[in-house]
Amino acid sequence: MRIGLIGTGRIGTFHATTLNRHREVGSLIVTDADTVRAQSLADRLGATAAPGVDEIFTWGVDAVVITAATSAHAELIGRAARSGLPVFCEKPIALDLPGTLAALAEVDAAGTVLQLGFQRRFDAGYTAAREVVRSGRLGRLHTVRAMTSDQSPPPAAYLPLSGGLYRDCLIHDFDMVRWVTGREVVEVYATGSDAGPAMFREARDIDTAAAVLTLDDGTLATATATRLNGAGYDVRMELAGELDQITVGLDDRTPIASTEPAGPPAANKPWMGFLERFGAAYETELAAFVDVVRGERTNPCDGHEALQALRIAEACELSRHERRPVRLAEIPGDRD
């Protein structure tokens, strides 16, 4: 199999390395707006560096992996669809709902494959939680608590391009609430704070957020996020039912300390970032994409699944700005 990868930054380099050692990937072509960076990666991997995006689509690849700047995602997805090529794309499809819907329309019209990079669907802890919930072991699920806390904020220049904390960060938690519980969010109430570094206010973004989500069966979920969790990178989910409760993301590297005299000690080597915490999940999701391209499995996270998570993020932004509960029915793109 011959795969073209567009974008050789941090996540692109990780994905290229993963694909390069996959037994079914015979050759890899990489490209980037920074041609020196692309050539350097190609030299390290023994891959081929293309001078630009055009060559990815003219040199005869079997599939495309998009890890370029977010602003380029929708255009590249559309180009791949028109070329009849299956695509793996890091989230999001686009930074806004109209751009997302337009890109999905192109994929649907072409009948091609679009797999979105929601890597937590391939994490062992989240996968086990999904199985426990579906087994009925928890009984009636009544409370879900999801959280993502970054150890340090992204560069200031990234913030205006990120789409904001709900779309860039909490969108993973929104996807997990749906995927683990099997339920849909029907209403949100969200708020946020920009009381941290000035760069968040300058970007009209927030550094900390909280949302209450009501699911279609009455289950309540909370989702919180911050860019400023100095203790480490902390991603967890708690699910409580009438019979039992479980948690995802609690291990000897969870960056939290107990104040109880007999409580567990603080992590000796806490998680510091998403590539470290979810490295195995990133590798598994790309292996799944290769299987999808080979026709050996169904798409585990298509564009319409990603759209639903974005709609929740959009509802949270609207709720924060208008200081009111927002029904998901108010947000365009529902599949009904």
Side-chain angles (χ1 to χ4, degrees), residues 70-121:
T70 296
S71 58
H73 287 188
E75 178 186 352
L76 292 171
I77 288 170
R79 186 167 182 180
R82 293 189 297 273
S83 300
L85 292 171
V87 174
F88 174 92
C89 184
E90 277 300 325
K91 63 85 186 164
I93 295 172
L95 282 178
D96 59 18
L97 208 49
T100 299
L101 293 171
L104 287 178
E106 289 216 65
V107 172
D108 291 344
T112 52
V113 169
L114 169 61
Q115 180 181 327
L116 261 291
F118 280 94
Q119 85 284 351
R120 294 186 195 181
R121 291 183 177 223

Side-chain angles (χ1 to χ4, degrees), residues 199-218:
M199 65 180 183
F200 291 98
R201 292 183 293 279
E202 292 165 0
R204 304 184 68 180
D205 195 4
I206 51 177
D207 58 73
T208 304
V212 177
L213 317 175
T214 302
L215 309 189
D216 57 12
D217 64 347

